[in-house]
Amino acid sequence: MKRIIWVLVGIGAFTVIMTAVYQLGSKNNSDKSDTYIKAKSSQSLKKESLVDTFQAFSKKGKSTDEMYVTGNIKVGSDSELKPGIYDLQVTGGSGNIGADRDQTSAPFINYLGDDKGNLNSQGTGDVHGPSKIRLILFSGDVLKLDNISKVKFIAISKFQSSNELGQGEYIVGLDIPAGTYKLSSNVKFNPEFDNLGWSIDILDKNGDNKTQEYNSSNNDVVVKLNNGDVVSTSNMYSGETAGITPDQEKLIFNKVK
């Protein structure tokens, strides 16, 4: 049986220097105020926590109807896709989800999306991936979708905190509580592919990034998450666990006392 494996490239390519914040700006500010910027002073962090800033930023998002993908999708106040936090749902096709970020310090986007992500297609030899991926999108970002014909964007402004995350970009303090966690997963890894599994990137408020792998050869992993951190997760062994669909796959954070 032919196995097709999708390898994500550069998911840890965060290039933040010093302190990074998400500036919402005033009504008179341009779209650039929605992008990652380098803080001029740490005083901005004292006025408002990053969790509060992300919560306010999330309210800028607007859900879209299902749309055909006829080219690149630009994010902006004058575009159909507004800046905000979204669940990107693939409703047609299977392929790569990438992006050109307006600011290189924003989280790298490179995922596989599949409209059959809610089906158990393990053992078919098909390319696998979830149908729903969480994304944080800023003005000027350009999404590039290959071999995906239809999508819709579901704006997220109300968060349900959980210790189980799927693939995408999540905010500590909104999507998951702060704490120290030992990683596990409902995905069953194949030791023949010991380098394939979950990849996690943690970007903190100081611009420091930590990359960690969780797979069959590296399965004793503890991470610390602080409020305001951005956590990016991806599974390079998606769709290979019998009885579990790609949409059901979770990276599980078990609290360490």
Side-chain angles (χ1 to χ4, degrees):
M1 179 182 66
K2 183 177 180 182
R3 181 185 301 276
I4 301 175
I5 300 174
W6 184 267
V7 179
L8 300 179
V9 180
I11 192 68
F14 292 174
T15 56
V16 180
I17 301 175
M18 303 300 288
T19 302
V21 296
Y22 296 83
Q23 178 179 329
L24 296 178
S26 67
K27 294 181 179 179
N28 294 326
N29 283 352
S30 67
D31 282 351
K32 295 295 182 181
S33 65
D34 296 325
T35 60
Y36 257 85
I37 64 169
K38 192 162 51 177
K40 295 181 179 179
S41 169
S42 61
Q43 293 297 319
S44 61
L45 296 180
K46 296 179 181 179
K47 297 178 182 178
E48 184 180 56
S49 73
L50 279 178
V51 174
D52 291 337
T53 302
F54 274 120
Q55 180 69 79
F57 177 75
S58 71
K59 298 183 185 301
K60 300 168 72 71
K62 302 293 183 184
S63 297
T64 70
D65 294 329
E66 184 179 59
M67 63 174 72
Y68 283 99
V69 178
T70 58
N72 296 337
I73 302 173
K74 186 172 182 179
V75 181
S77 60
D78 57 349
S79 302
E80 184 174 1
L81 183 57
K82 312 300 182 186
I85 300 174
Y86 294 91
D87 279 342
L88 165 60
Q89 185 168 352
V90 178
T91 58
S94 175
N96 184 237
I97 299 169
D100 287 339
R101 290 289 201 178
D102 185 66
Q103 300 290 318
T104 58
S105 52
F108 191 77
I109 293 177
N110 194 342
Y111 294 97
L112 178 68
D114 192 336
D115 63 359
K116 297 181 178 61
N118 60 347
L119 300 178
N120 180 18
S121 55
Q122 194 270 341
T124 64
D126 295 333
V127 175
H128 303 293
S131 64
K132 188 179 293 184
I133 298 171
R134 175 66 61 84
L135 297 177
I136 305 172
L137 300 176
F138 301 92
S139 290
D141 291 346
V142 179
L143 287 176
K144 297 184 174 182
L145 310 181
D146 294 328
N147 294 319
I148 293 176
S149 58
K150 290 186 294 183
V151 295
K152 64 179 178 180
F153 295 85
I154 303 168
I156 304 298
S157 59
K158 294 182 180 180
F159 298 83
Q160 293 183 343
S161 188
S162 174
N163 71 322
E164 299 185 2
L165 302 180
Q167 295 194 55
E169 301 166 352
Y170 300 92
I171 302 157
V172 179
L174 294 177
D175 292 299
I176 183 172
T180 301
Y181 298 94
K182 185 170 184 178
L183 299 182
S184 65
S185 180
N186 62 350
V187 174
K188 305 300 181 184
F189 303 124
N190 187 337
E192 293 183 9
F193 304 97
D194 59 358
N195 64 328
L196 297 182
W198 287 94
S199 177
I200 177 173
D201 286 89
I202 305 168
L203 176 66
D204 67 22
K205 67 179 182 180
N206 296 315
D208 295 325
N209 181 69
K210 178 178 176 59
T211 299
Q212 184 66 64
E213 304 295 329
Y214 177 76
N215 49 46
S216 63
S217 63
N218 190 33
N219 55 21
D220 187 13
V221 180
V222 172
V223 297
K224 184 177 182 179
L225 305 180
N226 297 305
N227 283 326
D229 289 351
V230 178
V231 178
S232 295
T233 61
S234 61
N235 180 18
M236 292 179 284
Y237 201 64
S238 183
E240 297 298 334
T241 302
I244 299 177
T245 71
D247 284 350
Q248 294 171 334
E249 295 170 347
K250 301 295 181 182
L251 181 62
I252 302 172
F253 295 73
N254 305 283
K255 199 72 173 285
V256 176
K257 295 182 179 180

